[in-house]
Amino acid sequence: MTAIGVDHVIVDDGAVAGQVRDILPGGVDLALELVGTPTLPDTLRATRVHGTVCFTGMLSNEWTVKDFYPIDYIPRGVRLTSYGGDASDLPAGVLQDFLSAVASGEAVVPIDEVFAFEDIARAHAKMEAGTARGKLVVVL
């Protein structure tokens, strides 16, 4: 990760907020929650007062927060928003700029492994095991 420009690598051990605050005692300005409701409280705790968390991922297969009470759940002064759009929300120019940056090497997308379509079950198993160290690509 550091080879592609990441300043701090944090391994999710269930207590990311503590690790984040060791690096940035005030917390982060912005956080993108990609896993889902089980990790959302930790992400919120990693965010500074007047910071924002955007909840957009649902990788955990847990869709709701049981007994959600916002005043207790969301830390004081932290903003929580969400995004649930699709590809049509992304302007073509923005996508093309990113693709061009990847093609030129300006933006790096680490590839862990490329699988043939008939090996898609193995790719999915690797994803579920959490052992990939980059993107998993399946080609036809």
Side-chain angles (χ1 to χ4, degrees):
M1 295 296 289
T2 56
I4 62 168
V6 174
D7 292 323
H8 303 282
V9 177
I10 296 175
V11 176
D12 187 353
D13 62 357
V16 169
Q19 295 180 67
V20 167
R21 290 196 178 259
D22 286 344
I23 298 165
L24 295 167
V28 297
D29 295 331
L30 305 166
L32 184 62
E33 175 55 60
L34 297 172
V35 175
T37 59
T39 56
L40 181 58
D42 194 39
T43 303
L44 287 162
R45 286 190 300 275
T47 306
R48 69 169 177 81
V49 172
H50 304 297
T52 302
V53 173
C54 180
F55 181 84
T56 190
M58 297 300 282
L59 299 176
S60 66
N61 290 326
E62 291 183 33
W63 315 115
T64 60
V65 175
K66 185 176 169 65
D67 300 323
F68 180 67
Y69 176 56
I71 292 173
D72 184 49
Y73 192 86
I74 304 170
R76 182 179 52 82
V78 174
R79 298 178 191 104
L80 174 59
T81 188
S82 64
Y83 174 76
D86 59 31
S88 65
D89 294 337
L90 184 64
V94 172
L95 177 58
Q96 187 56 58
D97 288 348
F98 176 72
L99 294 174
S100 296
V102 170
S104 72
E106 182 183 345
V108 178
V109 178
I111 305 293
D112 179 83
E113 190 171 348
V114 177
F115 296 86
F117 185 75
E118 51 270 14
D119 293 327
I120 197 166
R122 195 166 61 85
H124 194 274
K126 187 170 188 172
M127 178 191 68
E128 288 290 321
T131 58
R133 299 294 175 245
K135 292 291 184 185
L136 302 175
V137 177
V138 178
V139 294
L140 292 175

